[in-house]
Amino acid sequence: MTARYVLRRLGGTLVLLLVLSVAVFALLQAAPGDPARTLLGPRNATPDALAAVRARHHLDQPFAVQYLRWAGDALRLDLGTSIRTGASVSATIGGRLALTGQLVGLGLAIAVLLGVPGGVLAALRRYRATDRAVQTASLIALSTPAFAGGLVLIYVFSLMLGWFPAYGPGTGGDRLPHLVLPAVALALGVTAVLLKLTRAAVIRELDKEHVVFARARGVAERRILVHYVLRGALVPVLTGVGLVVAYLLAGTVMVEQVFALPGLGSLLVDSVTYRDVPLVQAEALLIAVLVCLAGLLTDLAQPLIDPRLRPAADAPRRPKERR
Amino acid sequence: MSASETGGALSRRRLLSLSAAGAGVLAASGLLGACAPQAADQGDSGKGAAQGADVPLGELTFALPSSISSLDVGRESGVLNYLVATLVQESLLSVTPAGDLKPGLATSWKQPDATTYVFTLRRGVVFSDGTPFTAADVVASIEEIRDPENASVLAYAFAGVKSVEATGSHEVTVRLKAADGAFLWSVAPGCLPIGGEKFLRANRGKIGTEKTLLLGTGAYRITEFAADSHVLLESNPRWWGEKPAAGKLKLSFVPDAGTRLVAMKSGEVDGALALASDETEGWGSAAEVGYTADRSVVSLAFDTSKAPWNDPHVRRAVACAADREGMVEGILQGKAEIANALVSPAMWGDLMPADEVRAAYAEIPEYAFDLDKARAELKKSKHADGFTAELHYPASGPQVGKAALALADSLKKLGITLKVKEITLEAWVNELGSGKQPLQFLWYFPVTGDPAELADAYLNAAATATNIAHYDEPAVNKALDGAKTDTDPASRGRKLMTAVTTAAGDLPYLPLWWAQTATALSRDIVLQEPGPFAFVGPWATRIRKAA
């Protein structure tokens, strides 16, 4: 894998981020309402006071100037202060990133640990009772909105069984029990997606000729499964895992509300409502970076797993395929 | 539990809190706090007597329906912000739960002339960090609010102030540009949180954040604040008042109604404050729920300068077609009071005794739900064949939207087409004063306990920025202007009452209901003296162990 490939992918990511930051900035400008008015409250909104607030937050300047001012600061890693609270944006986001990171991480772990083996199982038992049961369960999980699933989980595991706390992030050591229910709620839909993906990929591999041939040669079933089928199914599944990270991040908005967690999702909702430009910008970009990173990692991992996906220059010993 | 419903409501409620933020003025039922449990009027009357002994309570946890983003009410002045801040910061005057102004950090005050107020400050008071409290702190607190650089939400309360001076180590003199009968409310907790001079100067722009917190002289001090999560408080050992029974408080922000209920049922919280009154179904098994008037009003505003609303017959027709009883019973589960004036009866506080207020309100012409009468009124108007109108409601008020739809349904029978549309809270706020919509909802949550706050802003023709009905009635204007300069509470109260009741008869606004909010507390504790203003003061000091 050449460095050029990595650089090209990174360059593409940077361009994407730039476009995204302009788009978010423009969307916030186009949204109805006036942040200065919101800040002052309707009774104080005299023209002088409005002008003072606008000047202070540079809201009176043209779009391009506002954007460049923000971008310049951002490049120097100064994300500014929140218009709404006066707190530093990097501190505000930093505090929440950890929680949302843990939530998404745990959610992803649950989704992978349940979805992938479930998918393999369903594929091996395809069209049989086990497959139907697994598929039905995943259909239910897929069509349950995260907040509804969350409420059911709280009701059952918190109120009826008393196993987990109902809400809040917990402090220090007891963070994990507080995150189990939210992570499960968050992972429900994604688990189903991974399960379907894995099942389809494994079934496809099972039907491949080399698998049939291996079986004909009398290779042990376990070996066929691990070395032939799963290895082949790994790339599409891994791609799926990369993609669902974005879904998990989006899902935190609802899940954090239901479980009263102070994460990025709840912050984003507040900031957008208030048109707190510095915060929204920083958050949108952070989420974009996370999603892009997940995509990048997946893309970089694929050639490692499957030599056929390596760029041509990377495999000089292999002659080019002839058409 | 209907998941989709709870889920929807939670995000709306959340917005709601935001609303209350930038706009202390704008109402927001779900979060507005001045509610109280075991209310004397509606609640469980047997419980009112439960005055627990002064047993230490240790740490108590309460759920709040949405987060606050700043502890500083000058930055965000929603009801929940007050609920937190008034535990920590005090003001020159204090407000009793019933709405009477009483001494606070000022032990007494006099008014040598109509525009001058001299406050004598309490001696021996210290801030929770040990700094002694003096006149300089009061002056600094007011100046910080007045400074346009700070863009304080509370600036309007001091717009009429000419000067603020420390005329002694413990004396402050405030001079006004013109007499203002309601000025004392500006130095009460709703408008003037007092912080330490040095602290204010050193932390300009950062006060109320997670790192800087708040400094006050009050009953509690904040030890930790995490937006969207919680506020931790502990009782302030230096407070001049009596040591509260609850030594530590945790106020948790739990935006989802379903989660809140489970937290209450599983005992994770000791109570839930500022609940929407229509949310409390199902709470009875886990907690003692009390309802109190929260002073807010939901009303329609007709632009009387524009057709068809300039025709009194049309306004009367709409009034008769509005089934307010049905709205209160059906939409609000009876946890509200049918309104016939903009100003809630809870707002008259020390100006007029409650029975006189009720008697005066009883004189207001009644427009009961009667479609035949509505048809007759419409026939008398220039719009006998009906017309089409639009009505927008803020997304944060689903109950307001339901009321609008109910009204549209009745009006359809008269031949009036009412197009109801949900808009975002921010759009609604911007629309409110823009003059673009001839028919609007006015959903208002007063900051003070003075009727002039609503009456002067919405009924006086001189208040061009806020009088969205463009109501101009000389008798009302005269009464309101007279009340402004009147320093005698009783006669001022009578003038305001004249204005409010006269205007109510003319229907520039069609008040629908005065809202209530609910407080749910575990059966182990009680809140003494609940009332409409209970949460604009150190409410937690009145929590006792249940007898």
Side-chain angles (χ1 to χ4, degrees):
Chain A
M1 187 182 339
T2 51
R4 223 175 61 200
Y5 174 71
V6 178
L7 281 179
R8 209 172 58 222
R9 288 280 301 151
L10 280 176
T13 306
L14 283 179
V15 172
L16 186 68
L17 290 180
L18 184 74
V19 172
L20 199 81
S21 74
V22 176
V24 170
F25 217 88
L27 280 174
L28 283 175
Q29 292 274 329
D34 177 353
R37 219 171 255 279
T38 317
L39 273 180
L40 281 170
R43 302 182 185 201
N44 297 316
T46 59
D48 286 351
L50 283 172
V53 172
R54 287 191 187 121
R56 190 156 159 228
H57 297 290
H58 315 295
L59 299 170
D60 50 351
Q61 288 169 342
F63 173 78
V65 177
Q66 283 191 46
Y67 178 77
L68 288 176
R69 183 183 289 275
W70 173 83
D73 287 345
L75 282 180
R76 275 174 306 209
L77 295 179
D78 174 10
L79 294 172
T81 53
S82 155
I83 294 183
R84 191 164 51 112
T85 64
S88 128
V89 168
S90 33
T92 308
I93 289 188
R96 289 163 179 257
L97 185 60
L99 180 67
T100 299
Q102 291 161 352
L103 181 60
V104 169
L106 193 58
L108 189 64
I110 292 174
V112 171
L113 290 180
L114 288 180
V116 174
V120 174
L121 182 73
L124 293 178
R125 302 264 184 283
R126 68 183 134 156
Y127 311 131
R128 282 194 258 166
T130 320
D131 180 29
R132 298 232 167 78
V134 171
Q135 291 244 59
T136 311
S138 82
L139 188 70
I140 293 172
L142 189 62
S143 34
T144 309
F147 66 86
L151 282 176
V152 172
L153 288 173
I154 292 180
Y155 194 78
V156 174
F157 291 100
S158 192
L159 184 61
M160 289 169 66
L161 299 172
W163 291 358
F164 297 104
Y167 77 96
T171 43
D174 69 342
R175 171 67 53 93
L176 187 64
H178 278 88
L179 285 189
V180 170
L181 292 185
V184 170
L186 185 63
L188 275 181
V190 169
T191 305
V193 170
L194 282 184
L195 192 144
K196 293 239 163 210
L197 255 171
T198 311
R199 181 180 175 274
V202 171
I203 288 179
R204 203 164 47 236
E205 288 299 315
L206 284 172
D207 288 344
K208 288 241 169 100
E209 283 167 354
H210 66 275
V211 175
V212 176
F213 184 59
R215 210 166 263 149
R217 277 188 301 153
V219 179
E221 273 302 314
R222 174 183 290 269
R223 190 176 160 79
I224 294 180
L225 179 66
V226 177
H227 287 255
Y228 292 69
V229 177
L230 290 190
R231 190 167 178 209
L234 197 54
V235 168
V237 170
L238 196 73
T239 313
V241 171
L243 285 176
V244 296
V245 169
Y247 284 96
L248 285 172
L249 275 169
T252 58
V253 174
M254 271 330 276
V255 169
E256 284 174 4
Q257 290 264 333
V258 172
F259 290 92
L261 297 173
L264 286 177
S266 36
L267 181 66
L268 190 61
V269 175
D270 294 355
S271 317
V272 169
T273 314
Y274 256 97
R275 292 190 32 182
D276 194 341
V277 181
L279 254 181
V280 178
Q281 274 286 8
E283 252 200 292
L285 286 190
L286 178 68
I287 292 175
V289 167
L290 290 177
V291 172
C292 287
L293 266 183
L296 188 63
L297 283 179
T298 323
D299 284 359
L300 294 182
Q302 280 176 357
L304 289 180
I305 299 165
D306 189 343
R308 290 169 301 179
L309 293 171
R310 283 176 203 164
D314 215 34
R317 274 164 296 170
R318 263 176 64 189
K320 277 201 169 174
E321 271 178 60
R322 273 182 225 128
R323 298 260 153 111
Chain B
M1 126 175 47
S2 153
S4 65
E5 215 177 292
T6 31
L10 78 91
S11 47
R12 286 192 203 107
R13 290 232 164 82
R14 178 158 193 82
L15 287 185
L16 185 53
S17 79
L18 301 175
S19 85
V25 184
L26 303 166
S29 93
L31 354 133
L32 308 179
C35 45
Q38 292 88 40
D41 46 351
Q42 314 265 335
D44 206 340
S45 53
K47 198 78 183 171
Q51 310 271 306
D54 296 345
V55 191
L57 285 169
E59 181 172 336
L60 294 178
T61 305
F62 295 101
L64 301 184
S66 76
S67 180
I68 58 176
S69 60
S70 173
L71 297 167
D72 180 9
V73 291
R75 212 174 243 287
E76 183 181 70
S77 60
V79 171
L80 297 182
N81 298 82
Y82 283 110
L83 188 148
V84 177
T86 52
L87 291 173
V88 178
Q89 291 182 304
E90 297 175 292
S91 196
L92 286 180
L93 272 57
S94 63
V95 188
T96 66
D100 296 321
L101 287 175
K102 287 279 170 335
L105 287 178
T107 47
S108 66
W109 56 92
K110 43 185 203 264
Q111 208 180 349
D113 60 70
T115 57
T116 310
Y117 292 81
V118 180
F119 298 93
T120 306
L121 306 185
R122 196 175 289 277
R123 288 184 182 266
V125 174
V126 251
F127 284 97
S128 57
D129 67 349
T131 340
F133 161 74
T134 66
D137 300 311
V138 179
V139 175
S141 300
I142 298 181
E143 291 301 351
E144 288 291 301
I145 294 173
R146 292 178 71 199
D147 186 347
E149 271 288 297
N150 274 335
S152 170
V153 180
L154 305 172
Y156 68 89
F158 298 93
V161 169
K162 195 161 83 184
S163 69
V164 184
E165 273 175 274
T167 41
S169 72
H170 285 79
E171 190 185 88
V172 173
T173 304
V174 180
R175 290 196 173 77
L176 305 183
K177 293 171 191 158
D180 177 3
F183 176 72
L184 285 177
W185 283 99
S186 292
V187 293
C191 302
L192 177 61
I194 291 178
E197 183 192 15
K198 276 207 191 99
F199 178 80
L200 291 172
R201 300 261 188 267
N203 297 300
R204 283 196 104 180
K206 287 183 288 189
I207 291 170
T209 59
E210 302 185 1
K211 289 220 167 72
T212 315
L213 305 176
L214 281 186
L215 177 65
T217 55
Y220 288 85
R221 60 191 193 89
I222 295 175
T223 54
E224 191 178 300
F225 166 49
D228 285 311
S229 179
H230 62 268
V231 183
L232 296 182
L233 303 104
E234 60 181 32
S235 73
N236 170 13
R238 297 190 169 96
W239 191 42
W240 52 273
E242 202 180 313
K243 187 177 159 49
K248 282 187 175 178
L249 296 176
K250 181 177 182 187
L251 305 177
S252 282
F253 307 120
V254 187
D256 187 273
T259 313
R260 237 174 1 249
L261 179 54
V262 170
M264 184 82 230
K265 285 192 167 174
S266 65
E268 280 181 67
V269 297
D270 299 292
L273 312 176
L275 296 171
S277 57
D278 55 349
E279 185 196 317
T280 50
E281 220 177 318
W283 282 71
S285 64
E288 198 69 48
V289 184
Y291 303 87
T292 346
D294 67 6
R295 294 138 45 217
S296 74
V297 65
V298 172
S299 168
L300 285 175
F302 306 111
D303 187 339
T304 59
S305 67
K306 285 190 184 132
W309 309 113
N310 54 2
D311 189 333
H313 294 297
V314 172
R315 303 203 295 268
R316 265 177 241 152
V318 173
C320 291
D323 181 6
R324 288 180 271 189
E325 204 170 320
M327 290 174 190
V328 167
E329 288 306 320
I331 300 170
L332 303 160
Q333 273 86 47
K335 306 296 188 229
E337 189 181 350
I338 298 171
N340 64 350
L342 269 188
V343 180
S344 144
M347 289 281 286
W348 293 87
D350 45 2
L351 289 184
M352 200 178 269
D355 51 339
E356 274 180 47
V357 173
R358 291 284 172 190
Y361 275 21
E363 298 294 311
I364 296 171
E366 202 184 338
Y367 299 100
F369 177 55
D370 183 343
L371 282 179
D372 293 331
K373 221 168 138 193
R375 273 188 204 101
E377 281 290 349
L378 193 65
K379 236 183 214 129
K380 282 189 242 168
S381 78
K382 291 183 211 105
H383 306 272
D385 299 332
F387 54 88
T388 301
E390 238 181 79
L391 180 58
H392 298 168
Y393 70 94
S396 52
Q399 73 280 35
V400 179
K402 284 185 203 162
L405 289 172
L407 180 66
D409 198 43
S410 309
L411 289 179
K412 207 157 90 184
K413 293 171 192 152
L414 306 185
I416 300 174
T417 312
L418 188 63
K419 290 184 187 152
V420 179
K421 199 175 135 197
E422 179 185 291
I423 58 175
T424 67
L425 184 79
E426 234 212 348
W428 176 72
V429 171
N430 274 294
E431 219 173 66
L432 201 58
S434 68
K436 281 182 203 141
Q437 288 294 325
L439 177 66
Q440 291 182 297
F441 270 114
L442 172 63
W443 186 13
Y444 191 98
F445 187 91
V447 176
T448 71
D450 194 285
E453 180 183 347
L454 264 156
D456 213 38
Y458 291 95
L459 301 175
N460 197 335
T464 48
T466 44
N467 185 344
I468 51 178
H470 295 105
Y471 179 61
D472 189 355
E473 166 62 43
V476 172
N477 297 340
K478 194 175 150 237
L480 288 171
D481 290 338
K484 249 186 227 168
T485 50
D486 200 330
T487 48
D488 172 48
S491 87
R492 194 169 161 263
R494 281 194 298 276
K495 283 176 186 151
L496 288 170
M497 186 54 88
T498 308
V500 169
T501 50
T502 312
D506 291 341
L507 283 176
Y509 301 90
L510 175 63
L512 299 176
W513 66 80
W514 296 306
Q516 293 175 351
T517 42
T519 304
L521 294 182
S522 98
R523 295 200 164 79
D524 300 332
I525 51 174
V526 288
L527 176 68
Q528 297 176 328
E529 293 182 69
F533 293 83
F535 290 91
V536 201
W539 53 272
T541 62
R542 293 195 304 276
I543 289 188
R544 296 280 185 276
K545 195 166 171 47

